[in-house]
Amino acid sequence: MILTVEGLSFKYPGREVIRDANFSVSKGDFLAVLGTNGAGKSTLLKCMGRVLKPYKGTVYVGGDDALSLGRRELAKRIGYVAQRNESVRTTVFDAVLLGRKPYIQWEASQKDLEIAREALQMLELEKYSLRYLNELSGGEQQKVAIARAMAQKPELLLLDEPTSSLDLKNQLEVAKIIKRAVKDRHIAAVVIMHDVNLAIRFADKFLLLKDGEIFTAGGIEVMTAGNIEDVYSVRVQVGRIGDVPVVVPV
């Protein structure tokens, strides 16, 4: 297992947000985390990426307690992309090259530069290489953040709503890129998604959160109309259009 979460609980002052979460992720898994606003999805992801420290439970990355790993080692294993990223005045290429920081001793090597270019190409950002980050749209900046995470060459990607600022075409493209990276690089991705249809089309594992607790988790078999209705409080039908599974509110 590349990621194991055992008995994880997190609370803000006076409010418990995550209660006793238990699940694991293997290399080759594309896990979609689903649930309503306020269900605790982003908090759970931040606990996995050690942005937040749970008050109870343990997160293991490659068998090691995440809290025992140094920041450089953790960054080699986990690529984390927040829901919102700061827009600073640096070029797109330099922003992506920052993903190589855990590996750079004195200065970027030719290999680091090549990996940064490869990540830009993967996200179709080559034409923006010399543009400044704060000149880009929110969706373009989000793609740069994903490219930076890809440049880290991590074993695990933690992505918080990576498609939320993107148009329909780029939503599909980014979801395809994540899925392809998981399979081709033999890594794992844990991705918070609001679009149930995008999730059911591209992910192969699912974790449904409700009120800070894991309601259900598993493969496509857990994405039933009953489970989706219980989590979202909306009646739905689950069907297919050709080979593509779809969820339709009714």
Side-chain angles (χ1 to χ4, degrees):
M1 295 296 174
I2 185 58
L3 175 74
T4 303
V5 175
E6 292 185 355
L8 189 145
S9 299
F10 181 88
K11 62 182 176 182
Y12 293 107
R15 183 168 64 96
E16 192 171 42
V17 183
I18 300 293
R19 287 182 294 279
D20 196 32
N22 294 276
F23 63 96
S24 59
V25 180
S26 301
K27 289 185 178 182
D29 287 347
F30 181 158
L31 173 69
V33 180
L34 301 166
T36 60
N37 293 337
K41 301 185 298 298
S42 292
T43 299
L44 178 61
L45 200 76
K46 288 176 180 177
C47 288
M48 287 186 270
R50 216 175 70 185
V51 178
L52 295 174
K53 183 179 178 181
Y55 80 88
K56 190 170 65 174
T58 310
V59 176
Y60 295 99
V61 181
D64 297 315
D65 186 339
L67 293 177
S68 72
L69 298 173
R71 295 185 67 85
R72 183 181 289 265
E73 180 59 30
L74 189 70
K76 289 180 179 179
R77 299 192 193 189
I78 295 178
Y80 172 79
V81 178
Q83 192 176 111
R84 295 178 182 83
N85 295 278
E86 286 188 21
S87 176
V88 294
R89 191 159 179 79
T90 187
T91 66
V92 168
F93 185 85
D94 286 342
V96 174
L97 187 60
L98 279 174
R100 301 301 301 162
K101 188 176 179 180
Y103 304 91
I104 296 173
Q105 297 298 325
W106 298 104
E107 61 182 20
S109 66
Q110 189 60 39
K111 179 182 178 181
D112 295 319
L113 298 175
E114 289 172 0
I115 288 172
R117 292 190 190 100
E118 176 188 303
L120 284 166
Q121 186 177 19
M122 184 182 296
L123 273 297
E124 298 183 352
L125 292 167
E126 308 101 299
K127 64 181 178 182
Y128 299 109
S129 292
L130 299 180
R131 291 270 300 275
Y132 285 103
L133 200 57
N134 60 357
E135 295 174 352
L136 303 184
S137 70
E140 290 163 347
Q141 290 179 26
Q142 188 73 350
K143 290 178 73 175
V144 172
I146 296 168
R148 182 173 62 242
M150 293 287 191
Q152 288 175 233
K153 295 284 188 177
E155 299 172 303
L156 173 66
L157 286 169
L158 301 178
L159 308 176
D160 193 346
E161 297 185 41
T163 60
S164 62
S165 300
L166 304 178
D167 58 44
L168 180 59
K169 177 179 181 293
N170 279 299
Q171 285 180 28
L172 293 169
E173 287 302 318
V174 166
K176 288 177 185 176
I177 287 165
I178 295 167
K179 190 174 184 71
R180 186 166 66 245
V182 165
K183 300 305 178 187
D184 292 352
R185 297 186 178 186
H186 196 53
I187 62 174
V190 179
V191 187
I192 294 177
M193 305 181 83
H194 268 307
D195 189 327
V196 177
N197 278 302
L198 200 63
I200 203 171
R201 179 170 182 170
F202 289 100
D204 45 46
K205 298 290 176 63
F206 305 88
L207 188 153
L208 278 68
L209 274 181
K210 182 177 181 180
D211 299 328
E213 296 181 343
I214 296 177
F215 180 82
T216 189
I220 191 67
E221 72 278 357
V222 306
M223 296 299 288
T224 64
N227 284 339
I228 295 169
E229 289 172 8
D230 284 340
V231 168
Y232 289 96
S233 300
V234 175
R235 288 187 60 221
V236 300
Q237 288 184 353
V238 179
R240 303 186 79 86
I241 297 178
D243 293 330
V244 180
V246 292
V247 178
V248 182
V250 295

